Amino acid sequence: MKMRTTTLAIVLLLTGALAASASSPFATLGAGVMVDPLSVRSAALGGVDILTADSVYLSTMNPAGWNSSGRTRFLMASNVRISSSQDVLSGKDGASDLQFPTVALAMPIYRTLGIGFAYKTVTDYSFLIRRTSTVTDLLPEDTLASYHLTETFSGVGGLSAFSSNFGVRLGNSLAMGVALDYVFGKLDRIWQMTFDTGGFTESGKTIRNQLSGIAVRFGAQYSGTPLMAAATVQLPASISVHRSLEIVGGDSLGISAGSLEMPLSLSVGAAWTSGRKRTYGQGSFAAWGSTAQDVIGVSDTYLNAWLANAGFELLPSRSPLEPWYQKWTYRAGGHFGKEYVSAGSDPVKTFGLALGVGIPVRTHMGMLDLALTMDWRGDTAANGVGVRERVTGIRLGFSSTESWFVRRGK
Amino acid sequence: MRTKGSAKSGGRVVLVRVSLLLIAVSLAAALAAGCGQYNSEVGSSVVGQQLEGVLRDTVLQIQQSRTRIVGDEMKSTTSLLYAGEQNGMQADILMRFPDQKTYVDSILSYDSAVVVLHTYGLVDSANVTDWTPWQANVLRIDEPYDSSEIDYDYPFVSEMIGVAGIGTPAPDDSIEFPIDTVTLHRWEVDSLRNGILLRVDEGTATFLKRFYTFTVKSDSLVPLLKFRASVIDGGELHPDSLIEMRPTYTTYLANDVTLPVSDNRLYLTNGYQRQMLFKADFSSLSPRTASINSAQLFLKVDTASVYAFGDPGLFTAYQVTTEWDEYPDSLGLLYWPSVAQVIGEGAAQVTMDITDLARELEKHPTENKGLAIRQTNAGNTMGRAVFYDITVPDTTLRPYVRVLYTDYSE
């Protein structure tokens, strides 16, 4: 049983590792597109996450849920993204890729104290914008000639975090936790200009940014009946940036410069259970301010970001006499909010809907989760951002409890 | 009735099959879309001007220039032999023959001997006005010398042994001249291994002839020493035998010192080598922002110059690595394989692509000691090309460097 779980985990890890980063025109802004490092259950609930930790599931946002549940909990999630974007200037384009946003492992340490580790994607920094044009009468002199050239602007990388979580349960319903996130990654911006006409050499510039730093989060979770509530606070953190510049045919300069100032972020949420029905609500706010930061070699305007999430869950019947479909969990949710960066002076708004199902896997005392998500970002209004992206996500996740590490003490 | 064990086993099978199916579907969806990145202009409305490097075009004036006289040098790979004098350029032919014992055991007596040369056209015949035949003195060289040190002015220890009427106006004839029996007897010691020199007295010839060299494979075209002799070979006497010997080495020696020192012109000559040195200031291009797409050296040819003649051949640009006046006889030159240019007869302008070299000079301005235009294969041709210098009053005739670059300054 353990071997099969491990094998499955390795297969998922490998498939995720082989996949390309998710491409988005909005990745050109700031440190990239924020990725929900969510369990598939949370994704199906419209992004509600800080309330979702229990004896099977883990919350990647709320460390309070990492308290001891008696057994080892294991979580992983994959996401096939199929995206298309409509640009008011240049038409449509599409891409698809496979993400592997998170894998997590939590284990009991002593009594109600639990510890766990997670690897999660924080931002995706992957984009490629290509433009072709024709220029006349450049070189050589006295010759009126046309030259076809292609400009590309691309980004490679993204931020990830290795998270150490500590949680403890105080009494039967209240849990507290703290998480240390080691945030790291690269954000490379690459410009290239190539000529289809002979006689010209490719030119280009690359700004390479290596980022690393520590962020701290606190969390609390109240798991009562019928009310559940949770809150998290992420303290401001400074992520250092080491930058280098390469000009094709020119200089290659190492520049130690700057930092990404992660802001104070708050999330609060509540859920109400009535019979087999549970309704969730969650709100988040990140105080980026309204300032321009030169984090990665260009100046971007960072804005206060907020996100509102709502979800609904039809819990499974506990009766052994019910048919199989009554033992599944059905979920739906949605979210809307505003991103942390702007396109020019225009804020980037986001909106999403989700559906999902949780299938019990009794052999692992776990759940196999599926979710279908639809997210929209930006707009094509004449006085707006100019680009609207739609992302369809087909998510597969697995949460299990294992006997690898079990609780000691009462 | 199913047992507990079979139920567990069935659950595992279902789990694994469902998981693998979902993974396969996910991968297929990702692969079917082809790629994980956009590949069009979509997103350009978000990034605005960030996408663009700006193409710029600038002219760099040549600050220093010079004709560098290298003079006559050993021509190890020349494909033709030259003899005569034309437009002030002189050429003599040197031929060496093998030891006679490489052909026969011993020679009892010589009857007669001739050297045969086969003509391969004339130099710049359209501009020759005086086709009076000329002769060359045949000098037997009596002392050894270092082949790498010989040039036109080398003080050979020699003795005149006759004259050779090789200066005929026919472009494709074969010419014989005799070798005296004293020289043939001296050959038993070493004299023909040192060679014979066909020297044309200054002012006696009015055109240059070309002959095939010893490297020609055809027996009907290669220079030969033919002699009749009674010989012993393989222990047998062979009276009145005709023996034909190929030279072991042929080359020509050139002289050309008649050009004006200062006439607002620069000279490229081959055979007797003259190179051109240029120095342009690349400091206006910042290696931190400018990525060079094209750098071309424009040279204006003085087609009306009385000193221009013949085929100057193939030239290339070298990076000068030492100060011009520090070691003028051993100027440091670094080869750049990307640059080569045929200086054709009658061309009004020569353009040399020096992009790679310009990038290097932009990147390392302190190493900018200029560039040299020199022969790719010294001695393969004889000719002169005359260019306008930076001192010529008409500024439109001066050499310059034109650079197209992408400006990535923000």
Side-chain angles (χ1 to χ4, degrees):
Chain A
M1 184 187 307
K2 292 176 189 174
M3 281 301 295
R4 292 204 173 161
T5 305
T6 308
T7 304
L8 185 62
I10 291 171
V11 169
L12 282 172
L13 279 167
L14 286 176
T15 54
L18 289 171
S21 298
S23 181
S24 169
F26 294 99
T28 59
L29 302 172
V33 172
M34 290 287 180
V35 175
D36 306 327
L38 300 173
S39 66
V40 174
R41 178 192 179 197
S42 298
L45 291 172
V48 174
D49 187 77
I50 63 174
L51 292 153
T52 54
D54 57 22
S55 60
V56 175
Y57 288 101
L58 286 167
S59 162
T60 56
M61 293 174 65
N62 189 350
W66 294 63
N67 67 82
S68 171
S69 66
R71 288 167 61 86
T72 300
R73 284 173 289 172
F74 177 72
L75 177 149
M76 55 188 169
S78 64
N79 181 16
V80 174
R81 292 173 84 256
I82 303 168
S83 64
S84 68
S85 292
Q86 172 79 45
D87 191 318
V88 293
L89 295 179
S90 49
K92 294 180 76 171
D93 199 356
S96 79
D97 42 67
L98 176 60
Q99 283 187 310
F100 192 70
T102 188
V103 59
L105 181 73
M107 62 197 88
I109 294 296
Y110 183 72
R111 296 194 173 186
T112 64
L113 176 63
I115 188 172
F117 305 97
Y119 167 80
K120 55 190 182 183
T121 304
V122 178
T123 70
D124 258 331
Y125 196 75
S126 175
F127 56 89
L128 175 64
I129 302 171
R130 187 187 303 273
R131 177 186 295 166
T132 58
S133 55
T134 300
V135 177
T136 57
D137 197 21
L138 284 175
L139 284 174
E141 66 168 3
D142 307 324
T143 303
L144 183 63
S146 296
Y147 304 93
H148 302 285
L149 57 90
T150 301
E151 299 166 86
T152 58
F153 177 41
S154 58
V156 177
L159 297 180
S160 302
F162 182 78
S163 179
S164 302
N165 297 268
F166 304 89
V168 63
R169 196 173 68 250
L170 308 172
N172 290 328
S173 303
L174 183 62
M176 307 287 285
V178 61
L180 301 177
D181 291 336
Y182 174 67
V183 180
F184 63 97
K186 68 171 185 179
L187 307 173
D188 292 348
R189 298 168 78 86
I190 304 162
W191 290 261
Q192 284 181 302
M193 186 174 293
T194 57
F195 287 80
D196 300 332
T197 310
F200 297 93
T201 307
E202 173 184 316
S203 59
K205 179 174 85 168
T206 300
I207 298 177
R208 301 188 189 281
N209 297 280
Q210 294 282 347
L211 293 88
S212 61
I214 301 287
V216 180
R217 280 179 295 121
F218 296 97
Q221 182 173 347
Y222 172 74
S223 302
T225 304
L227 177 65
M228 300 169 64
T232 61
V233 176
Q234 178 169 298
L235 301 182
S238 182
I239 309 299
S240 65
V241 180
H242 179 267
R243 185 182 308 147
S244 66
L245 168 70
E246 294 173 19
I247 294 288
V248 174
D251 267 342
S252 179
L253 304 171
I255 304 171
S256 294
S259 61
L260 172 63
E261 299 299 328
M262 303 281 284
L264 177 71
S265 300
L266 304 171
S267 293
V268 294
W272 185 268
T273 306
S274 174
R276 289 174 57 195
K277 300 171 185 171
R278 183 178 293 167
T279 306
Y280 297 85
Q282 178 181 309
S284 304
F285 178 78
W288 290 91
S290 180
T291 58
Q293 280 195 57
D294 182 359
V295 176
I296 52 173
V298 293
S299 182
D300 284 303
T301 302
Y302 292 72
L303 302 173
N304 289 331
W306 58 267
L307 187 65
N309 312 82
F312 174 79
E313 207 166 35
L314 181 61
L315 301 172
S317 168
R318 296 185 182 278
S319 169
L321 301 177
E322 294 287 351
W324 59 269
Y325 54 84
Q326 293 286 11
K327 295 175 182 175
W328 289 16
T329 305
Y330 299 91
R331 304 176 182 118
H335 67 82
F336 67 96
K338 192 180 75 172
E339 297 277 350
Y340 74 108
V341 281
S342 69
S345 58
D346 301 303
V348 179
K349 295 172 184 173
T350 180
F351 172 73
L353 296 171
L355 290 172
V357 62
I359 306 168
V361 182
R362 299 195 186 284
T363 51
H364 291 263
M365 298 175 66
M367 296 290 285
L368 184 67
D369 296 295
L370 286 167
L372 177 65
T373 58
M374 296 280 285
D375 295 288
W376 291 264
R377 184 181 285 114
D379 60 74
T380 55
N383 57 352
V385 172
V387 179
R388 182 174 60 208
E389 181 187 40
R390 185 189 67 207
V391 180
T392 303
I394 304 169
R395 301 177 187 239
L396 168 66
F398 183 59
S399 294
S400 72
T401 65
E402 308 286 353
S403 57
W404 302 336
F405 302 94
V406 295
R407 176 190 295 164
R408 289 184 297 172
K410 294 183 179 178
Chain B
M1 180 182 291
R2 298 175 69 189
T3 63
K4 189 178 179 183
S6 64
K8 276 191 174 180
S9 174
R12 284 199 295 271
V13 170
V14 170
L15 168 65
V16 170
R17 286 180 178 174
V18 169
S19 300
L20 292 176
L21 178 64
L22 289 170
I23 291 167
V25 169
S26 302
L27 282 175
L31 294 173
C35 66
Q37 280 197 314
Y38 292 172
N39 190 24
S40 70
E41 285 190 37
V42 168
S44 57
S45 60
V46 174
V47 299
Q49 296 300 313
Q50 283 189 42
L51 174 61
E52 300 175 4
V54 180
L55 278 175
R56 300 191 190 285
D57 187 6
T58 188
V59 171
L60 306 179
Q61 300 299 331
I62 301 294
Q63 297 176 313
Q64 288 178 262
S65 61
R66 180 182 298 177
T67 297
R68 178 188 182 226
I69 299 176
V70 178
D72 190 23
E73 282 192 334
M74 178 189 179
K75 305 168 187 66
S76 58
T77 58
T78 181
S79 58
L80 290 170
L81 298 174
Y82 291 80
E85 180 176 347
Q86 187 168 332
N87 203 315
M89 191 173 280
Q90 301 165 265
D92 299 340
I93 292 175
L94 175 69
M95 310 170 74
R96 289 205 301 258
F97 294 91
D99 190 322
Q100 56 180 257
K101 291 180 180 176
T102 60
Y103 279 68
V104 295
D105 294 339
S106 64
I107 297 175
L108 300 178
S109 64
Y110 294 98
D111 295 327
S112 62
V114 294
V115 171
V116 183
L117 288 174
H118 303 282
T119 305
Y120 182 78
L122 301 148
V123 176
D124 199 10
S125 57
N127 292 316
V128 175
T129 56
D130 183 356
W131 291 103
T132 304
W134 47 264
Q135 293 183 319
N137 298 321
V138 183
L139 305 177
R140 184 188 70 230
I141 302 173
D142 290 336
E143 287 191 3
Y145 49 87
D146 184 344
S147 295
S148 64
E149 293 182 356
I150 59 173
D151 58 18
Y152 187 86
D153 296 321
Y154 188 83
F156 292 105
V157 176
S158 62
E159 182 173 332
M160 182 173 168
I161 59 173
V163 294
I166 60 175
T168 60
D172 55 358
D173 58 349
S174 298
I175 301 165
E176 293 183 356
F177 59 88
I179 299 295
D180 64 302
T181 54
V182 174
T183 296
L184 294 174
H185 284 293
R186 285 286 304 267
W187 187 18
E188 293 179 35
V189 184
D190 60 14
S191 64
L192 285 186
R193 275 182 286 167
N194 296 328
I196 57 175
L197 180 65
L198 305 181
R199 170 144 288 180
V200 182
D201 286 340
E202 184 177 350
T204 61
T206 54
F207 57 91
L208 283 166
K209 284 198 74 172
R210 297 188 296 213
F211 300 94
Y212 288 98
T213 71
F214 77 113
T215 57
V216 175
K217 291 182 179 177
S218 169
D219 288 338
S220 62
L221 297 175
V222 71
L224 289 174
L225 170 63
K226 297 180 178 179
F227 62 93
R228 287 192 171 277
S230 297
V231 302
I232 294 177
D233 191 32
E236 295 183 4
L237 173 65
H238 300 278
D240 194 26
S241 298
L242 176 62
I243 299 174
E244 297 182 345
M245 283 189 175
R246 282 173 170 256
T248 54
Y249 178 67
T250 58
T251 189
Y252 72 93
L253 308 175
N255 188 37
D256 182 20
V257 293
T258 61
L259 300 181
V261 175
S262 176
D263 61 349
N264 298 328
R265 301 294 187 274
L266 296 167
Y267 296 93
L268 268 181
T269 59
N270 209 341
Y272 183 90
Q273 292 184 55
R274 285 180 177 82
Q275 303 168 356
M276 296 193 297
L277 306 182
F278 297 100
K279 190 172 185 179
D281 183 7
F282 289 86
S283 64
S284 60
L285 301 172
S286 168
R288 297 188 176 196
T289 58
S291 185
I292 295 176
N293 297 99
S294 168
Q296 293 179 296
L297 173 65
F298 284 81
L299 304 170
K300 307 287 183 167
V301 184
D302 182 2
T303 54
S305 172
V306 296
Y307 299 106
F309 87 100
D311 174 16
L314 187 64
F315 289 77
T316 190
Y318 283 64
Q319 181 182 2
V320 180
T321 58
T322 57
E323 297 297 341
W324 294 7
D325 296 323
E326 192 174 10
Y327 303 105
D329 295 333
S330 57
L331 193 68
L333 299 179
L334 183 64
Y335 176 56
W336 286 82
S338 60
V339 182
Q341 177 69 47
V342 176
I343 311 293
E345 295 178 59
Q349 175 175 279
V350 172
T351 307
M352 300 194 78
D353 186 340
I354 58 168
T355 304
D356 291 345
L357 177 53
R359 283 182 162 185
E360 184 68 14
L361 299 179
E362 177 208 19
K363 193 173 178 179
H364 303 293
T366 59
E367 297 176 11
N368 183 7
K369 296 177 174 59
L371 60 94
I373 309 298
R374 61 157 290 179
Q375 304 79 3
T376 57
N377 193 349
N380 252 359
T381 63
M382 288 194 80
R384 292 196 202 104
V386 184
F387 298 88
Y388 291 102
D389 200 357
I390 58 174
T391 54
V392 70
D394 184 348
T395 57
T396 63
L397 298 175
R398 294 175 181 173
Y400 62 92
V401 175
R402 193 162 186 180
V403 178
L404 175 76
Y405 65 99
T406 311
D407 185 354
Y408 286 110
S409 60
E410 297 182 34

